[in-house]
Amino acid sequence: MQREVGTLPLAPALRARLAAAGFQTAQELLDTGPCGLSKEIGISREEALEALQVVRQECHGDAARTAGGSGATRRCTALELLEEEQTQGFIITFCSALDNILGGGMQLTKITEICGAPGVGKTQLCMQLAVDVQIPECFGGVAGEAVFIDTEGSFMVDRVVDIAAACVQHCHLIAEAQQEEDHQKALETFSLENILSHIYYFRCRDYIELLAQVYLLPEFLSEHSKVRLVVIDGIAFPFRHDFEDLSLRTRLLNGLAQQLIIIANDHKSAVVLTNQMTTRIGQNQSTLVPALGESWGHAATVRLIFHWDNSQRLATLYKSPSQKESTIAYHITSHGFRDVQPPAVTHSAEGTEVNPRKRPRTEEEKQ
Amino acid sequence: MAAKKLRRAQLSQEMCERLSRYQITTCQDFLCLSLLELMKVTGQSYYEVQKLLCKVSQACAPKMQTAYEMKLRKSVNPSSAFLSTTLHSLDRVLHGGVPCGSLTEITSPPGCGKTQFCIMVSVLATLPVSMGGLDGAVIYIDTESAFSAERLIEIAANRFPAYFDSDEKLFCMTCSIHLYRELTCCSVLKRIMSLEEEIISKKVKLIIIDSVASVVRKEFDTKLQGNLAERSNFLTRGASVLKYLAEEFSIPVILTNQITTSLSSGPATQADLVSPADDLSLSE
């Protein structure tokens, strides 16, 4: 109630008038009432009433927040967070090596970024995830739906059909082996048509369409509350050309990152972005780094870099708050994203490109 | 979509006039501002501005389709999904042929047959659908002046002697192949931008650009600092327009590229990563 007038979300012209008339706290406004307010500042009674309603809403929100209820800022203890994280599901990728280094799969409520050269498998992984998010809970999935925002036009429906068919068959095999009732029931709804109808596809041609779509995403997700995965395939592509003003680009990207974090948290969904690689020309050599600059590196919580080693595809976990850096090999088969047979996991960072900016890891003895 | 005027985004008249005083006339200008700036410019409260943002976003945002609808649409017309190259093993590897609606890149060292392949595919595109063609015109953008009309007639006459049995049919075919000679990056880009109207008026069913690499390598020396950014700018702009055309009209787009050496530890010759079909515009 002691909130200052300047912090209320009113129109700037109105705020200026209130300040000029000498109002300082929200309580003063509420005490004056709409008629008194309209006479003092010289606005119509309807405008004064609207302003007071906004003030009342804000103060009510404030009170709820200080009482510990849910609002724009969430307060909870680490124990509550731990319980939440432990019951949260992961979106598996069907490549057990990759799931292992990620700690179970793609985490919900986090932003994961996949960087890589063209042709290495980023879109394949995205399509695999859009199918895997729909796996029913009794098979170990999260039973959600997927939003696929495509900026490069690399989404191929036929490929998704192949991946989905392989996934359904995999689940059928599990159900036959285990013979449980809820498996059979779940399989009835887990069919090819259902999987395809729950992938919501948006094709954005330039960065304005992408921005507009992300502004509209919270409303879409409230209507489709079962969505657990948002994929943006090609966040770099629309921002890499036609941008003379790089500071505008940084600002827009930061705004986008913040909105995606809000979406991931509020709707308990995983956000997966794919990024391109660009050359950084150093002193004598040039290295491949993820595109969109240094500041974009802070946007994603988890960063995966896909690269080639002769003819083997490798995935490196480059940035993660809870898992160790490691590199694994993976395969793209006609069924989708899979392990290399047999699954080989190397938990050391040696032998792959050592990141020169990070302190080298020393293996600690386990006592 | 970005250049859509705010008037058409269903904002009220006075709001549009007020915004135009600050030089904000298109959706692009509106969406690039932050919320606080928008509040200042529109003179509205926070919640009102959010509602305005939603309105403008709805005017710009793409339509939603589910993957199932996309699949149904494709399966309605399966024969038009690919252009068969009539080379059976190649068609098998490509799962049917050159795909319609996306970009395909052909790369090889010089003399391997890229231009010959392009000429042959142009003939195939003009054939009627019953013979595996697309029954449409072809736009051929030639940057190396390697296209030979006589070779075109030779291929057509020898490959399909039963169909091209008269001179008239041959001339008819040549009339539907539109050749453009472009020698600079700028003119190639201008030509690509102007293709949309030509595709509709001439009923074009195939676009060939032979080759992208030659103009780019001629004009952009990657050793100079600023050139890399300009080159990638040119390539990504061209790529996005071509992708839009391919998807919008569901036609195949074929681009040819050249080979260069990558100076790494191995002696491998690697494809010049200049191609816009990849989303990477890197130096060699």
Side-chain angles (χ1 to χ4, degrees), chain A residues 14-57:
Chain A
L14 187 56
R15 272 206 309 254
R17 284 202 193 176
L18 288 172
F23 284 98
Q24 283 204 337
T25 65
Q27 189 59 43
E28 284 180 36
L29 283 179
L30 289 175
D31 288 339
T32 316
C35 294
L37 201 62
S38 70
K39 280 190 209 119
E40 255 194 76
I41 325 180
I43 54 176
S44 74
R45 287 200 200 131
E46 289 80 20
E47 285 176 11
L49 182 61
E50 253 181 63
L52 283 181
Q53 279 171 343
V54 170
V55 172
R56 210 164 276 135
Q57 196 179 3

mmCIF file of all heavy atoms in Angstrom, chain A residues 14-57:
data_model
loop_
_atom_site.group_PDB
_atom_site.id
_atom_site.type_symbol
_atom_site.label_atom_id
_atom_site.label_comp_id
_atom_site.label_asym_id
_atom_site.label_seq_id
_atom_site.Cartn_x
_atom_site.Cartn_y
_atom_site.Cartn_z
ATOM 1 N N LEU A 14 -0.339 9.815 -17.654
ATOM 2 C CA LEU A 14 -1.103 9.854 -16.405
ATOM 3 C C LEU A 14 -0.182 9.922 -15.201
ATOM 4 O O LEU A 14 -0.415 10.675 -14.247
ATOM 5 C CB LEU A 14 -1.987 8.603 -16.329
ATOM 6 C CG LEU A 14 -2.989 8.520 -15.186
ATOM 7 C CD1 LEU A 14 -3.891 9.716 -15.213
ATOM 8 C CD2 LEU A 14 -3.810 7.250 -15.305
ATOM 9 N N ARG A 15 0.897 9.153 -15.290
ATOM 10 C CA ARG A 15 1.861 9.144 -14.184
ATOM 11 C C ARG A 15 2.449 10.525 -13.993
ATOM 12 O O ARG A 15 2.634 10.996 -12.876
ATOM 13 C CB ARG A 15 2.994 8.155 -14.475
ATOM 14 C CG ARG A 15 2.717 6.756 -14.024
ATOM 15 C CD ARG A 15 4.004 6.041 -13.746
ATOM 16 N NE ARG A 15 4.951 6.146 -14.844
ATOM 17 C CZ ARG A 15 5.233 5.162 -15.677
ATOM 18 N NH1 ARG A 15 4.642 4.014 -15.555
ATOM 19 N NH2 ARG A 15 6.104 5.335 -16.637
ATOM 20 N N ALA A 16 2.750 11.171 -15.144
ATOM 21 C CA ALA A 16 3.346 12.507 -15.056
ATOM 22 C C ALA A 16 2.382 13.459 -14.362
ATOM 23 O O ALA A 16 2.764 14.278 -13.521
ATOM 24 C CB ALA A 16 3.693 13.004 -16.453
ATOM 25 N N ARG A 17 1.092 13.342 -14.701
ATOM 26 C CA ARG A 17 0.103 14.238 -14.088
ATOM 27 C C ARG A 17 -0.039 13.979 -12.601
ATOM 28 O O ARG A 17 -0.169 14.897 -11.799
ATOM 29 C CB ARG A 17 -1.259 14.012 -14.727
ATOM 30 C CG ARG A 17 -1.357 14.627 -16.080
ATOM 31 C CD ARG A 17 -2.794 14.843 -16.421
ATOM 32 N NE ARG A 17 -2.909 15.151 -17.813
ATOM 33 C CZ ARG A 17 -4.056 15.323 -18.438
ATOM 34 N NH1 ARG A 17 -5.176 15.170 -17.766
ATOM 35 N NH2 ARG A 17 -4.086 15.631 -19.701
ATOM 36 N N LEU A 18 -0.011 12.710 -12.223
ATOM 37 C CA LEU A 18 -0.145 12.376 -10.800
ATOM 38 C C LEU A 18 1.039 12.928 -10.021
ATOM 39 O O LEU A 18 0.892 13.466 -8.917
ATOM 40 C CB LEU A 18 -0.211 10.854 -10.616
ATOM 41 C CG LEU A 18 -1.516 10.202 -11.065
ATOM 42 C CD1 LEU A 18 -1.375 8.690 -11.001
ATOM 43 C CD2 LEU A 18 -2.658 10.656 -10.187
ATOM 44 N N ALA A 19 2.228 12.794 -10.627
ATOM 45 C CA ALA A 19 3.422 13.314 -9.948
ATOM 46 C C ALA A 19 3.337 14.819 -9.815
ATOM 47 O O ALA A 19 3.679 15.390 -8.772
ATOM 48 C CB ALA A 19 4.669 12.909 -10.721
ATOM 49 N N ALA A 20 2.857 15.471 -10.880
ATOM 50 C CA ALA A 20 2.762 16.934 -10.831
ATOM 51 C C ALA A 20 1.756 17.368 -9.782
ATOM 52 O O ALA A 20 1.931 18.402 -9.120
ATOM 53 C CB ALA A 20 2.357 17.465 -12.204
ATOM 54 N N ALA A 21 0.665 16.577 -9.595
ATOM 55 C CA ALA A 21 -0.349 16.954 -8.608
ATOM 56 C C ALA A 21 0.100 16.635 -7.196
ATOM 57 O O ALA A 21 -0.562 17.040 -6.234
ATOM 58 C CB ALA A 21 -1.648 16.214 -8.918
ATOM 59 N N GLY A 22 1.226 15.887 -7.056
ATOM 60 C CA GLY A 22 1.758 15.673 -5.718
ATOM 61 C C GLY A 22 1.420 14.333 -5.097
ATOM 62 O O GLY A 22 1.729 14.099 -3.930
ATOM 63 N N PHE A 23 0.816 13.404 -5.853
ATOM 64 C CA PHE A 23 0.511 12.089 -5.285
ATOM 65 C C PHE A 23 1.796 11.290 -5.155
ATOM 66 O O PHE A 23 2.596 11.245 -6.067
ATOM 67 C CB PHE A 23 -0.448 11.315 -6.198
ATOM 68 C CG PHE A 23 -1.853 11.794 -6.112
ATOM 69 C CD1 PHE A 23 -2.339 12.673 -7.057
ATOM 70 C CD2 PHE A 23 -2.682 11.370 -5.090
ATOM 71 C CE1 PHE A 23 -3.640 13.130 -6.989
ATOM 72 C CE2 PHE A 23 -3.983 11.814 -5.018
ATOM 73 C CZ PHE A 23 -4.475 12.701 -5.956
ATOM 74 N N GLN A 24 1.960 10.616 -3.968
ATOM 75 C CA GLN A 24 3.207 9.872 -3.832
ATOM 76 C C GLN A 24 3.010 8.379 -3.664
ATOM 77 O O GLN A 24 3.777 7.596 -4.188
ATOM 78 C CB GLN A 24 3.984 10.420 -2.628
ATOM 79 C CG GLN A 24 4.649 11.725 -2.976
ATOM 80 C CD GLN A 24 5.810 11.991 -2.108
ATOM 81 O OE1 GLN A 24 5.888 11.449 -0.999
ATOM 82 N NE2 GLN A 24 6.711 12.800 -2.565
ATOM 83 N N THR A 25 1.999 7.980 -2.927
ATOM 84 C CA THR A 25 1.838 6.535 -2.712
ATOM 85 C C THR A 25 0.511 6.071 -3.288
ATOM 86 O O THR A 25 -0.426 6.839 -3.502
ATOM 87 C CB THR A 25 1.854 6.172 -1.219
ATOM 88 O OG1 THR A 25 0.697 6.764 -0.624
ATOM 89 C CG2 THR A 25 3.107 6.657 -0.564
ATOM 90 N N ALA A 26 0.428 4.755 -3.484
ATOM 91 C CA ALA A 26 -0.785 4.166 -4.039
ATOM 92 C C ALA A 26 -1.963 4.339 -3.076
ATOM 93 O O ALA A 26 -3.112 4.507 -3.491
ATOM 94 C CB ALA A 26 -0.537 2.696 -4.315
ATOM 95 N N GLN A 27 -1.680 4.304 -1.787
ATOM 96 C CA GLN A 27 -2.754 4.432 -0.797
ATOM 97 C C GLN A 27 -3.485 5.756 -0.948
ATOM 98 O O GLN A 27 -4.710 5.830 -0.856
ATOM 99 C CB GLN A 27 -2.146 4.305 0.625
ATOM 100 C CG GLN A 27 -3.164 4.212 1.730
ATOM 101 C CD GLN A 27 -4.067 3.024 1.554
ATOM 102 O OE1 GLN A 27 -3.620 1.933 1.219
ATOM 103 N NE2 GLN A 27 -5.352 3.237 1.744
ATOM 104 N N GLU A 28 -2.694 6.836 -1.237
ATOM 105 C CA GLU A 28 -3.318 8.145 -1.418
ATOM 106 C C GLU A 28 -4.323 8.112 -2.559
ATOM 107 O O GLU A 28 -5.415 8.680 -2.473
ATOM 108 C CB GLU A 28 -2.253 9.198 -1.746
ATOM 109 C CG GLU A 28 -1.437 9.643 -0.560
ATOM 110 C CD GLU A 28 -0.412 10.683 -1.009
ATOM 111 O OE1 GLU A 28 -0.738 11.488 -1.901
ATOM 112 O OE2 GLU A 28 0.702 10.660 -0.470
ATOM 113 N N LEU A 29 -3.946 7.427 -3.645
ATOM 114 C CA LEU A 29 -4.833 7.356 -4.812
ATOM 115 C C LEU A 29 -6.127 6.638 -4.449
ATOM 116 O O LEU A 29 -7.227 7.084 -4.800
ATOM 117 C CB LEU A 29 -4.149 6.585 -5.942
ATOM 118 C CG LEU A 29 -3.076 7.322 -6.735
ATOM 119 C CD1 LEU A 29 -2.505 6.396 -7.790
ATOM 120 C CD2 LEU A 29 -3.659 8.546 -7.385
ATOM 121 N N LEU A 30 -5.970 5.532 -3.712
ATOM 122 C CA LEU A 30 -7.165 4.751 -3.387
ATOM 123 C C LEU A 30 -8.065 5.529 -2.443
ATOM 124 O O LEU A 30 -9.285 5.433 -2.513
ATOM 125 C CB LEU A 30 -6.760 3.419 -2.750
ATOM 126 C CG LEU A 30 -6.119 2.436 -3.721
ATOM 127 C CD1 LEU A 30 -5.646 1.194 -2.984
ATOM 128 C CD2 LEU A 30 -7.089 2.042 -4.806
ATOM 129 N N ASP A 31 -7.454 6.316 -1.543
ATOM 130 C CA ASP A 31 -8.284 7.084 -0.614
ATOM 131 C C ASP A 31 -9.044 8.186 -1.317
ATOM 132 O O ASP A 31 -10.143 8.540 -0.901
ATOM 133 C CB ASP A 31 -7.385 7.725 0.469
ATOM 134 C CG ASP A 31 -6.875 6.679 1.436
ATOM 135 O OD1 ASP A 31 -7.517 5.614 1.512
ATOM 136 O OD2 ASP A 31 -5.854 6.928 2.093
ATOM 137 N N THR A 32 -8.481 8.751 -2.395
ATOM 138 C CA THR A 32 -9.124 9.889 -3.049
ATOM 139 C C THR A 32 -10.405 9.481 -3.766
ATOM 140 O O THR A 32 -11.358 10.240 -3.815
ATOM 141 C CB THR A 32 -8.162 10.517 -4.083
ATOM 142 O OG1 THR A 32 -6.883 10.604 -3.500
ATOM 143 C CG2 THR A 32 -8.636 11.885 -4.505
ATOM 144 N N GLY A 33 -10.434 8.281 -4.359
ATOM 145 C CA GLY A 33 -11.652 7.903 -5.056
ATOM 146 C C GLY A 33 -11.683 8.476 -6.456
ATOM 147 O O GLY A 33 -11.008 9.466 -6.758
ATOM 148 N N PRO A 34 -12.485 7.896 -7.351
ATOM 149 C CA PRO A 34 -12.443 8.293 -8.770
ATOM 150 C C PRO A 34 -12.907 9.724 -9.008
ATOM 151 O O PRO A 34 -12.293 10.442 -9.807
ATOM 152 C CB PRO A 34 -13.359 7.286 -9.452
ATOM 153 C CG PRO A 34 -14.134 6.629 -8.380
ATOM 154 C CD PRO A 34 -13.365 6.728 -7.129
ATOM 155 N N CYS A 35 -13.953 10.164 -8.321
ATOM 156 C CA CYS A 35 -14.434 11.528 -8.623
ATOM 157 C C CYS A 35 -13.416 12.561 -8.196
ATOM 158 O O CYS A 35 -13.099 13.501 -8.948
ATOM 159 C CB CYS A 35 -15.758 11.780 -7.904
ATOM 160 S SG CYS A 35 -17.057 10.738 -8.532
ATOM 161 N N GLY A 36 -12.880 12.392 -6.970
ATOM 162 C CA GLY A 36 -11.885 13.343 -6.483
ATOM 163 C C GLY A 36 -10.671 13.363 -7.390
ATOM 164 O O GLY A 36 -10.117 14.416 -7.721
ATOM 165 N N LEU A 37 -10.264 12.175 -7.824
ATOM 166 C CA LEU A 37 -9.081 12.074 -8.687
ATOM 167 C C LEU A 37 -9.316 12.797 -10.002
ATOM 168 O O LEU A 37 -8.467 13.545 -10.486
ATOM 169 C CB LEU A 37 -8.794 10.591 -8.944
ATOM 170 C CG LEU A 37 -7.387 10.244 -9.382
ATOM 171 C CD1 LEU A 37 -6.401 10.626 -8.313
ATOM 172 C CD2 LEU A 37 -7.311 8.760 -9.648
ATOM 173 N N SER A 38 -10.506 12.583 -10.573
ATOM 174 C CA SER A 38 -10.745 13.190 -11.881
ATOM 175 C C SER A 38 -10.757 14.706 -11.748
ATOM 176 O O SER A 38 -10.277 15.422 -12.616
ATOM 177 C CB SER A 38 -12.050 12.685 -12.483
ATOM 178 O OG SER A 38 -13.145 13.187 -11.768
ATOM 179 N N LYS A 39 -11.281 15.215 -10.617
ATOM 180 C CA LYS A 39 -11.310 16.678 -10.486
ATOM 181 C C LYS A 39 -9.917 17.219 -10.278
ATOM 182 O O LYS A 39 -9.553 18.253 -10.833
ATOM 183 C CB LYS A 39 -12.187 17.069 -9.288
ATOM 184 C CG LYS A 39 -13.651 17.041 -9.603
ATOM 185 C CD LYS A 39 -14.473 17.663 -8.495
ATOM 186 C CE LYS A 39 -15.844 17.005 -8.482
ATOM 187 N NZ LYS A 39 -16.172 16.331 -7.249
ATOM 188 N N GLU A 40 -9.112 16.518 -9.488
ATOM 189 C CA GLU A 40 -7.789 17.066 -9.167
ATOM 190 C C GLU A 40 -6.862 17.079 -10.356
ATOM 191 O O GLU A 40 -6.095 18.026 -10.566
ATOM 192 C CB GLU A 40 -7.151 16.242 -8.053
ATOM 193 C CG GLU A 40 -7.177 16.956 -6.726
ATOM 194 C CD GLU A 40 -6.254 16.294 -5.720
ATOM 195 O OE1 GLU A 40 -5.035 16.488 -5.850
ATOM 196 O OE2 GLU A 40 -6.769 15.596 -4.843
ATOM 197 N N ILE A 41 -6.876 15.986 -11.138
ATOM 198 C CA ILE A 41 -5.899 15.929 -12.226
ATOM 199 C C ILE A 41 -6.470 16.445 -13.536
ATOM 200 O O ILE A 41 -5.733 16.808 -14.434
ATOM 201 C CB ILE A 41 -5.404 14.497 -12.470
ATOM 202 C CG1 ILE A 41 -5.299 13.722 -11.176
ATOM 203 C CG2 ILE A 41 -4.078 14.512 -13.129
ATOM 204 C CD1 ILE A 41 -4.814 12.349 -11.433
ATOM 205 N N GLY A 42 -7.808 16.438 -13.634
ATOM 206 C CA GLY A 42 -8.377 16.904 -14.890
ATOM 207 C C GLY A 42 -8.523 15.805 -15.913
ATOM 208 O O GLY A 42 -8.268 16.017 -17.102
ATOM 209 N N ILE A 43 -8.896 14.611 -15.451
ATOM 210 C CA ILE A 43 -9.183 13.552 -16.420
ATOM 211 C C ILE A 43 -10.634 13.144 -16.230
ATOM 212 O O ILE A 43 -11.266 13.526 -15.256
ATOM 213 C CB ILE A 43 -8.272 12.318 -16.203
ATOM 214 C CG1 ILE A 43 -8.372 11.836 -14.749
ATOM 215 C CG2 ILE A 43 -6.847 12.642 -16.565
ATOM 216 C CD1 ILE A 43 -7.581 10.584 -14.496
ATOM 217 N N SER A 44 -11.160 12.375 -17.165
ATOM 218 C CA SER A 44 -12.560 11.996 -17.068
ATOM 219 C C SER A 44 -12.728 10.958 -15.959
ATOM 220 O O SER A 44 -11.775 10.321 -15.535
ATOM 221 C CB SER A 44 -13.025 11.409 -18.393
ATOM 222 O OG SER A 44 -12.493 10.117 -18.536
ATOM 223 N N ARG A 45 -13.983 10.778 -15.506
ATOM 224 C CA ARG A 45 -14.245 9.854 -14.390
ATOM 225 C C ARG A 45 -13.956 8.419 -14.785
ATOM 226 O O ARG A 45 -13.481 7.624 -13.977
ATOM 227 C CB ARG A 45 -15.708 9.966 -13.954
ATOM 228 C CG ARG A 45 -15.986 11.223 -13.208
ATOM 229 C CD ARG A 45 -17.251 11.106 -12.396
ATOM 230 N NE ARG A 45 -17.722 12.458 -12.077
ATOM 231 C CZ ARG A 45 -18.963 12.879 -12.250
ATOM 232 N NH1 ARG A 45 -19.873 12.055 -12.726
ATOM 233 N NH2 ARG A 45 -19.293 14.115 -11.939
ATOM 234 N N GLU A 46 -14.246 8.105 -16.075
ATOM 235 C CA GLU A 46 -13.985 6.722 -16.503
ATOM 236 C C GLU A 46 -12.503 6.422 -16.452
ATOM 237 O O GLU A 46 -12.079 5.348 -16.026
ATOM 238 C CB GLU A 46 -14.497 6.492 -17.933
ATOM 239 C CG GLU A 46 -16.000 6.446 -18.065
ATOM 240 C CD GLU A 46 -16.591 7.829 -18.087
ATOM 241 O OE1 GLU A 46 -15.817 8.759 -18.373
ATOM 242 O OE2 GLU A 46 -17.785 7.974 -17.811
ATOM 243 N N GLU A 47 -11.679 7.378 -16.927
ATOM 244 C CA GLU A 47 -10.233 7.149 -16.898
ATOM 245 C C GLU A 47 -9.747 6.996 -15.472
ATOM 246 O O GLU A 47 -8.890 6.169 -15.164
ATOM 247 C CB GLU A 47 -9.505 8.334 -17.561
ATOM 248 C CG GLU A 47 -9.616 8.338 -19.072
ATOM 249 C CD GLU A 47 -8.973 9.578 -19.659
ATOM 250 O OE1 GLU A 47 -8.285 10.292 -18.916
ATOM 251 O OE2 GLU A 47 -9.188 9.831 -20.844
ATOM 252 N N ALA A 48 -10.308 7.843 -14.572
ATOM 253 C CA ALA A 48 -9.879 7.753 -13.178
ATOM 254 C C ALA A 48 -10.241 6.392 -12.602
ATOM 255 O O ALA A 48 -9.451 5.771 -11.874
ATOM 256 C CB ALA A 48 -10.542 8.866 -12.379
ATOM 257 N N LEU A 49 -11.439 5.900 -12.943
ATOM 258 C CA LEU A 49 -11.853 4.594 -12.423
ATOM 259 C C LEU A 49 -10.939 3.491 -12.936
ATOM 260 O O LEU A 49 -10.522 2.603 -12.187
ATOM 261 C CB LEU A 49 -13.304 4.327 -12.859
ATOM 262 C CG LEU A 49 -13.889 3.021 -12.351
ATOM 263 C CD1 LEU A 49 -13.899 3.014 -10.836
ATOM 264 C CD2 LEU A 49 -15.288 2.814 -12.895
ATOM 265 N N GLU A 50 -10.597 3.576 -14.233
ATOM 266 C CA GLU A 50 -9.690 2.562 -14.807
ATOM 267 C C GLU A 50 -8.365 2.558 -14.078
ATOM 268 O O GLU A 50 -7.824 1.510 -13.741
ATOM 269 C CB GLU A 50 -9.430 2.911 -16.276
ATOM 270 C CG GLU A 50 -10.115 2.003 -17.254
ATOM 271 C CD GLU A 50 -9.785 2.415 -18.674
ATOM 272 O OE1 GLU A 50 -8.596 2.338 -19.027
ATOM 273 O OE2 GLU A 50 -10.712 2.836 -19.376
ATOM 274 N N ALA A 51 -7.844 3.783 -13.859
ATOM 275 C CA ALA A 51 -6.539 3.871 -13.193
ATOM 276 C C ALA A 51 -6.606 3.255 -11.799
ATOM 277 O O ALA A 51 -5.725 2.518 -11.377
ATOM 278 C CB ALA A 51 -6.104 5.329 -13.124
ATOM 279 N N LEU A 52 -7.709 3.551 -11.079
ATOM 280 C CA LEU A 52 -7.819 3.009 -9.723
ATOM 281 C C LEU A 52 -7.934 1.494 -9.744
ATOM 282 O O LEU A 52 -7.420 0.815 -8.853
ATOM 283 C CB LEU A 52 -9.041 3.612 -9.038
ATOM 284 C CG LEU A 52 -8.812 5.051 -8.540
ATOM 285 C CD1 LEU A 52 -10.046 5.563 -7.854
ATOM 286 C CD2 LEU A 52 -7.654 5.070 -7.571
ATOM 287 N N GLN A 53 -8.578 0.947 -10.779
ATOM 288 C CA GLN A 53 -8.682 -0.512 -10.854
ATOM 289 C C GLN A 53 -7.311 -1.139 -11.054
ATOM 290 O O GLN A 53 -6.981 -2.168 -10.470
ATOM 291 C CB GLN A 53 -9.623 -0.916 -11.991
ATOM 292 C CG GLN A 53 -11.064 -0.812 -11.564
ATOM 293 C CD GLN A 53 -12.012 -0.994 -12.723
ATOM 294 O OE1 GLN A 53 -11.610 -0.889 -13.881
ATOM 295 N NE2 GLN A 53 -13.260 -1.243 -12.417
ATOM 296 N N VAL A 54 -6.502 -0.485 -11.902
ATOM 297 C CA VAL A 54 -5.139 -0.994 -12.104
ATOM 298 C C VAL A 54 -4.374 -0.969 -10.788
ATOM 299 O O VAL A 54 -3.696 -1.918 -10.405
ATOM 300 C CB VAL A 54 -4.407 -0.149 -13.175
ATOM 301 C CG1 VAL A 54 -2.940 -0.500 -13.218
ATOM 302 C CG2 VAL A 54 -5.034 -0.379 -14.533
ATOM 303 N N VAL A 55 -4.511 0.154 -10.067
ATOM 304 C CA VAL A 55 -3.777 0.294 -8.800
ATOM 305 C C VAL A 55 -4.218 -0.793 -7.829
ATOM 306 O O VAL A 55 -3.402 -1.440 -7.167
ATOM 307 C CB VAL A 55 -4.033 1.689 -8.206
ATOM 308 C CG1 VAL A 55 -3.440 1.785 -6.816
ATOM 309 C CG2 VAL A 55 -3.430 2.746 -9.103
ATOM 310 N N ARG A 56 -5.547 -0.996 -7.777
ATOM 311 C CA ARG A 56 -6.056 -1.998 -6.838
ATOM 312 C C ARG A 56 -5.530 -3.380 -7.191
ATOM 313 O O ARG A 56 -5.127 -4.155 -6.327
ATOM 314 C CB ARG A 56 -7.579 -2.003 -6.883
ATOM 315 C CG ARG A 56 -8.170 -2.399 -5.541
ATOM 316 C CD ARG A 56 -9.624 -2.055 -5.447
ATOM 317 N NE ARG A 56 -9.850 -0.690 -5.047
ATOM 318 C CZ ARG A 56 -10.727 0.130 -5.621
ATOM 319 N NH1 ARG A 56 -11.442 -0.281 -6.640
ATOM 320 N NH2 ARG A 56 -10.893 1.357 -5.186
ATOM 321 N N GLN A 57 -5.494 -3.702 -8.501
ATOM 322 C CA GLN A 57 -5.014 -5.009 -8.935
ATOM 323 C C GLN A 57 -3.559 -5.204 -8.538
ATOM 324 O O GLN A 57 -3.151 -6.255 -8.062
ATOM 325 C CB GLN A 57 -5.150 -5.097 -10.449
ATOM 326 C CG GLN A 57 -5.057 -6.495 -10.991
ATOM 327 C CD GLN A 57 -5.231 -6.484 -12.498
ATOM 328 O OE1 GLN A 57 -5.357 -5.430 -13.113
ATOM 329 N NE2 GLN A 57 -5.221 -7.634 -13.077
#
